């Protein structure tokens, strides 16, 4: 494959995520105010897009309360800092079991919701972008399955498009890209199509470069794509993604560290990504340029 470096790159900052990182770093934001503040700082550092989950403000555990999403959205929209808002829609498909001898019923720890409930915050908050995890997969935990059936994904995608929000496909393996292309062929996901390649998430696509290029080569040429890897591979993947023709994602959802033994903030991770991009001779795109490229519309939340 010939080198096709991207020279106009947009940065997405994944601000907090839904993993159990809340007690591993004081910089992982919990409350809507903290999440919005960290997103705004990332935008000031150079992120054109902020990808937001919400958490229980007291415990820091992942949540999907539309009121929390609304507060994050309003705080970001009311700030003087412009940024493209990307809300997750990955919650509500968490299937857990209580050991391998109790497979006939799901654990009470499961969080399973219908399509309307899973996208309710997206419809209400009207971000420019929301995510669609295009497949079911085992996650690192012993008895946890991320459930996204074909019927559920078609239903969620149709609701997202009807609400005027651009879908960002999250692909954790090549089969997820295969199904995403099917959704695009059916007209369920309209152009321009945006995809995030999620590398190194157990047990999806490993983050070696051979697998990465297999993922890249399965992205249709006219699609827009970005990529990330976890932990210490986050910054190397900034360079790898640019060299392969894509955009980049950094942030505390995927990596807590700036250097060995040094905990990062979202703004610091974005600043380092900006340095990598600039040193490679590429330019960092602004939120306005990303909106033009992806045909996005900035809107306020639905009035109460």
């Amino acid at each position: 494959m010939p080198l096709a470096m991207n020279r106009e790159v947009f940065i997405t900052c994944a601000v907090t995520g839904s993993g159990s990182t809340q007690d591993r770093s004081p910089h992982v934001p919990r409350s809507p105010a903290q999440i919005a503040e960290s997103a705004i700082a990332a935008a000031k550092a150079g992120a054109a897009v902020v990808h937001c989950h919400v958490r229980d403000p007291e415990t820091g555990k992942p949540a999907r309360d539309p009121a929390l999403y609304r507060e994050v959205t309003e705080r970001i929209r009311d700030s003087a800092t412009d940024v493209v808002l990307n809300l997750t829609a990955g919650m509500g498909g968490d299937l857990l079991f209580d050991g391998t001898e109790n497979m006939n019923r799901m654990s009470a720890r499961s969080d399973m919701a219908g399509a309307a409930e899973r996208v309710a915050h997206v419809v209400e908050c009207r971000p420019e972008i929301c995510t669609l995890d295009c497949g079911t997969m085992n996650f690192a935990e012993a008895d946890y399955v991320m459930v996204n059936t074909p019927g559920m994904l078609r239903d969620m995608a149709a609701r997202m498009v009807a609400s005027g929000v651009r879908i960002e496909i999250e692909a954790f393996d090549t089969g997820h890209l295969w199904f995403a292309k099917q959704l695009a062929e059916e007209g369920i996901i309209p152009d321009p199509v945006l995809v995030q390649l999620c590398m190194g998430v157990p047990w999806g696509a490993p983050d070696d470069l051979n697998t990465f290029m297999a993922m890249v080569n399965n992205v249709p040429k006219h699609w827009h794509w970005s990529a990330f890897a976890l932990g210490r591979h986050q910054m190397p993947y900034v360079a790898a993604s640019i060299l392969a023709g894509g955009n980049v994602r950094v942030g505390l959802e995927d990596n807590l560290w700036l250097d060995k033994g040094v905990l990062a903030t979202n703004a610091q991770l974005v600043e380092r990504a900006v340095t990598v991009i600039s040193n490679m001779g590429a330019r960092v795109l602004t939120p306005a340029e990303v909106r033009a490229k992806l045909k996005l519309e900035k809107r306020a939340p639905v009035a109460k």
Side-chain angles (χ1 to χ4, degrees):
M1 176 183 175
L3 190 66
M5 176 177 159
N6 184 12
R7 296 191 178 274
E8 293 194 331
V9 179
F10 67 82
I11 301 171
T12 296
C13 181
V15 176
T16 190
S18 62
S20 56
T21 56
Q22 67 271 15
D23 297 321
R24 293 169 54 197
S25 169
H27 304 306
V28 175
R30 299 185 179 208
S31 70
Q34 291 170 342
I35 293 168
E37 180 182 357
S38 193
I40 292 164
K44 290 179 178 178
V49 183
V50 289
H51 171 61
C52 297
H53 292 244
V54 293
R55 294 176 178 268
D56 182 297
E58 298 300 325
T59 66
K61 292 182 178 179
R64 53 182 179 85
D65 183 350
L68 298 175
Y69 279 107
R70 188 177 188 101
E71 184 177 347
V72 169
T73 298
E74 290 177 342
R75 286 179 177 274
I76 292 173
R77 291 294 194 226
D78 291 344
S79 75
T81 301
D82 186 32
V83 68
V84 174
L85 183 59
N86 176 337
L87 297 182
T88 185
M91 307 295 289
D94 301 326
L95 178 61
L96 292 95
F97 296 95
D98 293 320
T100 56
E101 297 301 322
N102 295 295
M103 303 301 289
N104 62 328
R105 62 181 182 275
M106 66 181 184
S107 169
R109 298 171 294 140
S110 298
D111 179 30
M112 299 292 290
E117 187 176 352
R118 289 184 68 173
V119 303
H121 63 291
V122 172
V123 174
E124 179 181 340
C125 294
R126 304 203 304 177
E128 289 100 328
I129 301 171
C130 69
T131 59
L132 185 71
D133 299 335
C134 260
T136 295
M137 65 176 281
N138 295 327
F139 260 56
E141 290 86 348
D143 298 307
Y144 167 42
V145 181
M146 178 181 75
V147 178
N148 295 291
T149 66
M152 175 65 78
L153 291 172
R154 285 186 170 92
D155 193 343
M156 289 176 64
R159 294 171 188 271
M160 292 167 176
V161 172
S163 71
V165 178
R166 178 71 61 199
I167 291 171
E168 180 189 61
I169 297 157
E170 289 207 335
F172 295 81
D173 217 333
T174 51
H176 298 182
L177 285 171
W178 186 7
F179 186 66
K181 287 186 279 189
Q182 179 64 31
L183 293 180
E185 288 175 9
E186 293 174 9
I188 294 173
I189 298 181
D191 289 331
V193 181
L194 173 64
V195 60
Q196 183 75 245
L197 304 180
C198 309
M199 308 301 299
V201 179
W203 300 106
D207 58 8
D208 64 89
L209 290 178
N210 284 335
T211 303
F212 175 54
M213 290 313 301
M215 295 280 278
V216 171
N217 289 335
N218 272 285
V219 176
K221 298 301 182 185
H222 63 286
W223 286 17
H224 300 277
W225 66 271
S226 181
F228 71 87
L230 303 184
R232 61 191 177 90
H233 291 156
Q234 183 173 83
M235 286 303 156
Y237 258 78
V238 171
S241 298
I242 296 166
L243 284 173
N247 300 284
V248 303
R249 169 172 140 173
V250 295
L252 295 178
E253 176 173 349
D254 309 318
N255 165 49
L256 298 178
W257 302 96
L258 186 65
D259 294 302
K260 187 175 182 179
V262 181
L263 289 167
T265 66
N266 279 309
Q268 288 172 328
L269 292 172
V270 172
E271 287 167 356
R272 182 154 298 180
V274 169
T275 298
V276 172
I277 294 165
S278 299
N279 286 346
M280 291 178 69
R283 185 174 71 87
V284 177
L285 295 180
T286 67
E289 290 172 320
V290 172
R291 288 193 187 96
K293 179 185 284 286
L294 300 179
K295 298 181 180 178
L296 306 175
E297 182 183 357
K298 183 178 181 179
R299 300 176 297 167
V302 174
K304 291 183 179 179

